[in-house]
Amino acid sequence: MAIIVDENKQLFTIHTKTSTYQMKVSEYGHLLHIYYGNKLEHMDLSYLVRGVNRGFSGTPYEAKEDRPYSLDTYPQEYSTYGVGDYRSTCLSVEHEDGSQALELIYESYQIYDGKYKLEGLPAVWAKETEAQTLEITLKDKATGVKVLLYYGVLEYLDVITRACKIYNGTSTPIYLNKALSCCVDFLQNKMDLLSFHGRHAMERVMQRKEIEHGKLSIGSIRGTSSHQQNPFVILCDNNAGETYGNCYGASFVYSGNFLAEAEVDQINHTRFVMGIHPEGFRYYLEPQEEFVTPEVVFVYSNSGLEQISLKYHDLYRNHLIRSKFVHERKPVLLNNWEATEFHFTEEKLVEIAKGGKEIGVELFVMDDGWFGKRDSDTSGLGDWFCNMEKLPSGVEGLAEKIHGLGMKFGIWIEPEMISEDSNLYRNHPEWCLKIPNRTPNVERYQLVLDMSRPDVREYLYDSISQILEIAKVDYVKWDMNRNLSDVWSQLLPANRQGEASHRYVLGVYELMERLITNYPNILWEGCSGGGGRFDAGILYYMPQIWCSDDTDAIERISIQYGTSFAYPISSIGSHVSVVPNQQTGRTTTLDTRATVAMSGTFGYEMDIRTLSEEEKERCRQHIEQFKMHYNVIQYGDYYRLTNPLTEEIAAWQFVDKEGKESFVSVVGLHVRANAPFNRILLRGLNPTSYYTIDNGEELYLGDCLMKAGMNLPILMGDYPSKNFYLKEVRKG
Ligand code: DGJ
């Protein structure tokens, strides 16, 4: 049993494979958080929670004779604003009389097999036999406001998911001014927070900071999860590394505004909270209405960051992504964006596709520019009908020609956007997010459609599905090229405008759900100016996401490194592009570009016809190599062998689940004269098995390769790369 309840003690314990999580109802009825960490024998751990009378940390009224008992110093399971917990809180409710307090008291619990579902929101899913759910209901002492805490437990993956439902059980309306998904109080300090920051074309750069007194707050108020901060963090021991230390991953399954905040409090305990960012958020609840928060997925590892990533990869491949393509071989693709941008004709696209066909590409994707009046980024968004000047035989005609080459065919769309210069805007200026009597902030000349409006979603569904009905489309890239601003929805009354951002995200999810359900055979790829919306929410709908608009192989190593901490390799869209690279001007070899792109979905983003015959032959070999190692790369375990942000060599490794095969990639980031020898310690092999390297004659014991290492050749040239294939040939 993963969930154990001791009703007498009002003690709730969750055990996963290597972790224990415990809560207890205090004698005053508050739900205290007792422990989250390395798995322990089952016992009441509440002796760990101690109180002492501390000045300026008050007690609830009933406890006034018990001065050590304070909501400000005791660990809380779901902290609330206004009743004496001065740390970061999860929930702030404004009642009809204007008061802003909530004191939650334990009411009841239930346990059931399987995992709870969150209506309209993406979430981890599991069969009845694979998960258990614990629901705990808390009720405000003075009003009828209730909070239902959800815990989804996937024991074998060390996963505990959390979400909650806030229910207005009073007879008057309330406002939620802040409604986060979870809180975890650790009775310790000396913890680091790893977060993943960035900017357009440089996403998910790993940053590690000690959590100290004062709030360490990361998040997004951009309406999307953003390039600037990813909704994923890891809390870990100060000394934790890839293979040692307690680590706690927290991944928000949501694609809009978010907050992840950690602080060390006055008595050196660490609080962590996560959820929808409260800035701009205000949710109105009529009596009997409820609000459901998005989910946070916690993963625990007692042996370092590597295990955090391995578990997330397995979890997201098997319990989040629903597309059939997560388990099918996805085609190697060629996208025309960097080759042509908006400037193409049907003839040109067919010629580019033929170039791809020559090297073994299986899917040709027509990017931005095929619809409405779209010769630049100044116009056309919203007009989802074919531009017949560019494509005289329609999208269907081009699709036929591409299929005639023996390739699959894909298109690009950006449903959430509208250009002022478009028929859609001329007909429906009220459909975009815009505040009356204000000029809106523009980005790339585009405005954002109000996705909370059912009529907008209906229009988008109809116009997009019309294309998908007439043309045989095998792949769709769903782009989103600006952040939200001037958030104001014409359909919402003034007191509900604080809901608009969240309703926008729900609207996007609803449209995605409808399209993917009705077109399950299409391979959908998420995108937001590269990786501006690379989050677990999108992965629920789409099995892969374009990782970054930066296609420079060397930059991509850091971006993909950061992305790998939470997201499976099979979800990371990565392509080989031209040199000098269009974003950095850097020249790298074709081999290095292929090595990096292969550690993802693998494709091309260039006009292959510009390559020499020799280079084309090399591309053919790369595609064959990728296909040969597809299963290991896409479904195997992924190990970061070095940190490319600080080291001169980038190295990473894929191993199949049985340790029979392994694919190791190495890129020299800084080649030196008279270079010292380098060796890397491999991971994930069977210690007692013997392996060959690149089918050579010599045999190497797995244990030796992991503990003593594998020799690397001396690397020469600009950003050289080398791949190694290890095969288990004899079991020990
Ligand atoms: C941003 C995407 O990330 C690119 O790959 C490309 O599709 C452009 N948008 C097209 O406008």
Side-chain angles (χ1 to χ4, degrees):
M1 279 285 277
I3 302 169
I4 302 171
V5 179
D6 181 331
E7 294 201 349
N8 289 331
K9 290 187 172 163
Q10 296 196 304
L11 184 72
F12 301 88
T13 311
I14 299 170
H15 290 298
T16 68
K17 199 165 128 202
T18 70
S19 75
T20 293
Y21 187 109
Q22 197 171 73
M23 303 158 258
K24 188 172 178 163
V25 181
S26 77
E27 57 185 302
Y28 304 101
H30 307 108
L31 186 62
L32 302 181
H33 177 81
I34 305 294
Y35 177 81
Y36 185 24
N38 219 336
K39 190 166 187 170
L40 297 169
E41 281 305 313
H42 190 67
M43 75 168 280
D44 181 351
L45 297 163
S46 59
Y47 69 90
L48 296 170
V49 178
R50 289 183 289 169
V52 68
N53 182 13
R54 293 183 194 276
F56 295 87
S57 288
T59 56
Y61 197 79
E62 293 73 12
K64 65 176 182 225
E65 302 305 331
D66 183 4
R67 290 177 61 176
Y69 185 85
S70 173
L71 298 180
D72 195 30
T73 58
Y74 272 52
Q76 306 296 318
E77 188 58 25
Y78 191 71
S79 56
T80 54
Y81 176 79
V83 290
D85 182 352
Y86 302 102
R87 298 165 288 182
S88 299
T89 51
C90 291
L91 183 61
S92 170
V93 173
E94 189 180 322
H95 302 278
E96 218 201 11
D97 63 3
S99 64
Q100 298 184 44
L102 204 70
E103 187 177 344
L104 294 175
I105 300 295
Y106 171 76
E107 200 178 70
S108 61
Y109 81 93
Q110 63 161 323
I111 296 175
Y112 47 86
D113 286 340
K115 161 126 198 319
Y116 63 82
K117 295 190 176 62
L118 303 174
E119 188 62 32
L121 282 166
V124 161
W125 45 267
K127 292 194 207 117
E128 297 242 314
T129 50
E130 293 169 328
Q132 265 196 313
T133 295
L134 167 65
E135 287 182 13
I136 299 182
T137 304
L138 310 173
K139 189 175 172 199
D140 181 31
K141 214 169 178 175
T143 69
V145 175
K146 286 191 181 185
V147 175
L148 206 148
L149 303 178
Y150 292 103
Y151 300 82
V153 186
L154 281 84
E155 195 175 352
Y156 78 106
L157 281 170
D158 283 318
V159 168
I160 299 177
T161 67
R162 288 192 56 181
C164 55
K165 189 191 274 181
I166 297 132
Y167 170 75
N168 181 5
T170 73
S171 54
T172 54
I174 57 169
Y175 285 100
L176 310 182
N177 290 330
K178 184 180 191 185
L180 302 190
S181 303
C182 64
C183 168
V184 182
D185 278 348
F186 298 90
L187 299 177
Q188 65 167 104
N189 61 346
K190 299 203 181 339
M191 294 179 89
D192 286 353
L193 183 83
L194 272 65
S195 61
F196 301 86
H197 70 95
R199 56 184 182 273
H200 175 236
M202 184 35 86
E203 298 88 339
R204 290 171 295 288
V205 180
M206 197 260 273
Q207 171 177 284
R208 185 168 180 158
K209 273 195 161 185
E210 172 148 13
I211 305 168
E212 293 180 323
H213 297 281
K215 291 178 180 149
L216 180 51
S217 172
I218 67 142
S220 162
I221 52 164
R222 295 170 174 270
T224 69
S225 48
S226 90
H227 299 82
Q228 286 73 8
Q229 294 285 355
N230 194 261
F232 171 70
V233 295
I234 301 173
L235 283 88
C236 61
D237 294 341
N238 284 158
N239 66 351
E242 280 289 352
T243 55
Y244 56 91
N246 288 301
C247 303
Y248 307 81
S251 166
F252 198 32
V253 190
Y254 188 64
S255 312
N257 295 340
F258 79 94
L259 172 74
E261 201 163 80
E263 64 171 319
V264 172
D265 70 8
Q266 57 178 334
I267 53 169
N268 292 350
H269 293 166
T270 303
R271 167 160 293 179
F272 173 70
V273 293
M274 195 175 207
I276 293 181
H277 204 295
E279 204 159 314
F281 174 89
R282 191 164 194 244
Y283 214 93
Y284 176 77
L285 290 184
E286 288 277 3
Q288 274 76 61
E289 278 187 345
E290 57 194 28
F291 176 77
V292 178
T293 72
E295 176 168 282
V296 174
V297 176
F298 284 99
V299 167
Y300 172 75
S301 155
N302 59 11
S303 49
L305 302 165
E306 175 181 288
Q307 284 298 323
I308 290 281
S309 304
L310 290 174
K311 289 170 194 175
Y312 273 113
H313 293 186
D314 281 345
L315 179 79
Y316 286 171
R317 279 184 301 216
N318 300 319
H319 296 281
L320 180 72
I321 300 173
R322 295 170 296 166
S323 164
K324 66 174 193 169
F325 290 98
V326 74
H327 300 298
E328 273 182 22
R329 194 173 76 71
K330 295 184 282 191
V332 173
L333 75 75
L334 167 64
N335 176 304
N336 71 303
W337 177 247
E338 286 201 8
T340 66
E341 295 209 344
F342 301 99
H343 315 294
F344 56 79
T345 57
E346 176 186 289
E347 216 183 333
K348 191 165 178 185
L349 291 183
V350 173
E351 288 309 311
I352 291 175
K354 278 186 190 158
K357 177 71 187 168
E358 254 192 78
I359 60 164
V361 164
E362 298 157 309
L363 160 67
F364 174 74
V365 177
M366 168 173 66
D367 209 278
D368 194 354
W370 59 267
F371 50 88
K373 186 182 117 208
R374 186 74 171 166
D375 297 320
S376 69
D377 62 11
T378 58
S379 61
L381 289 170
D383 294 345
W384 300 110
F385 49 81
C386 183
N387 179 325
M388 300 304 277
E389 274 171 36
K390 287 184 183 172
L391 306 179
S393 50
V395 179
E396 63 277 26
L398 175 63
E400 241 173 69
K401 293 197 172 80
I402 302 295
H403 285 130
L405 298 175
M407 299 170 88
K408 293 187 184 303
F409 172 69
I411 60 168
W412 175 100
I413 54 173
E414 192 178 359
E416 299 154 71
M417 297 295 152
I418 182 166
S419 305
E420 281 183 298
D421 183 2
S422 67
N423 292 348
L424 187 67
Y425 189 80
R426 283 182 280 274
N427 294 333
H428 288 290
E430 78 286 6
W431 275 8
C432 62
L433 296 175
K434 206 159 78 167
I435 302 172
N437 305 319
R438 277 182 198 277
T439 48
N441 185 282
V442 282
E443 206 178 323
R444 220 190 184 204
Y445 298 94
Q446 60 199 59
L447 299 176
V448 185
L449 280 170
D450 179 358
M451 295 297 291
S452 72
R453 292 179 69 125
D455 48 1
V456 166
R457 298 197 298 269
E458 205 53 37
Y459 164 77
L460 290 171
Y461 182 82
D462 288 347
S463 50
I464 293 166
S465 62
Q466 210 169 333
I467 298 285
L468 303 181
E469 289 300 324
I470 52 169
K472 167 126 185 37
V473 174
D474 306 290
Y475 161 106
V476 177
K477 174 176 171 187
W478 179 311
D479 205 348
M480 199 262 185
N481 282 302
R482 62 159 291 175
N483 292 139
L484 273 54
S485 68
D486 306 274
V487 178
W488 190 86
S489 169
Q490 218 192 43
L491 293 191
L492 292 174
N495 67 337
R496 284 193 180 271
Q497 289 299 333
E499 301 170 22
S501 265
H502 179 60
R503 288 184 182 276
Y504 175 94
V505 179
L506 295 181
V508 170
Y509 287 155
E510 195 209 66
L511 182 62
M512 284 184 175
E513 184 70 31
R514 206 168 154 197
L515 283 165
I516 64 157
T517 308
N518 291 334
Y519 299 97
N521 295 323
I522 288 180
L523 169 58
W524 296 85
E525 176 156 357
C527 176
S528 175
R533 205 162 56 178
F534 205 122
D535 58 61
I538 296 296
L539 288 182
Y540 182 71
Y541 302 94
M542 302 182 179
Q544 60 190 52
I545 302 171
W546 179 228
C547 183
S548 177
D549 273 348
D550 186 348
T551 58
D552 175 288
I554 302 311
E555 299 259 280
R556 268 299 186 113
I557 288 175
S558 317
I559 298 170
Q560 294 178 196
Y561 169 82
T563 307
S564 79
F565 279 85
Y567 307 106
I569 302 307
S570 64
S571 70
I572 299 178
S574 46
H575 301 164
V576 172
S577 61
V578 291
V579 286
N581 177 268
Q582 291 185 359
Q583 293 81 42
T584 60
R586 188 185 347 243
T587 298
T588 49
T589 66
L590 197 51
D591 283 354
T592 296
R593 281 173 278 154
T595 292
V596 176
M598 255 181 235
S599 300
T601 55
F602 194 50
Y604 289 81
E605 178 110 7
M606 61 195 294
D607 187 345
I608 305 289
R609 295 173 304 168
T610 59
L611 296 179
S612 68
E613 284 312 310
E614 205 183 314
E615 286 172 319
K616 285 186 197 161
E617 181 49 31
R618 203 70 196 117
C619 289
R620 269 179 222 116
Q621 291 164 5
H622 291 146
I623 292 179
E624 279 318 305
Q625 188 180 29
F626 177 68
K627 288 202 224 160
M628 198 184 317
H629 302 300
Y630 188 87
N631 289 350
V632 181
I633 295 173
Q634 303 287 307
Y635 315 132
D637 288 340
Y638 169 82
Y639 295 94
R640 292 172 292 268
L641 303 180
T642 65
N643 176 350
L645 304 177
T646 54
E647 293 179 58
E648 294 189 352
I649 284 182
W652 61 96
Q653 182 190 6
F654 301 94
V655 188
D656 78 303
K657 291 282 176 190
E658 275 86 48
K660 287 191 171 133
E661 285 187 296
S662 179
F663 189 69
V664 181
S665 297
V666 176
V667 177
L669 301 174
H670 192 143
V671 163
R672 304 261 175 200
N674 191 15
F677 292 122
N678 274 306
R679 229 170 15 179
I680 41 171
L681 305 185
L682 300 186
R683 308 280 308 142
L685 303 175
N686 291 322
T688 54
S689 293
Y690 286 90
Y691 292 83
T692 53
I693 299 177
D694 291 333
N695 297 316
E697 306 230 308
E698 206 146 342
L699 297 187
Y700 299 86
L701 191 62
D703 202 34
C704 298
L705 292 171
M706 292 192 290
K707 290 181 183 152
M710 178 177 83
N711 284 341
L712 293 183
I714 289 190
L715 297 167
M716 297 284 285
D718 284 340
Y719 310 104
S721 64
K722 179 98 184 70
N723 293 307
F724 303 89
Y725 170 63
L726 280 83
K727 192 167 174 210
E728 183 190 54
V729 286
R730 209 168 79 212
K731 287 218 175 270

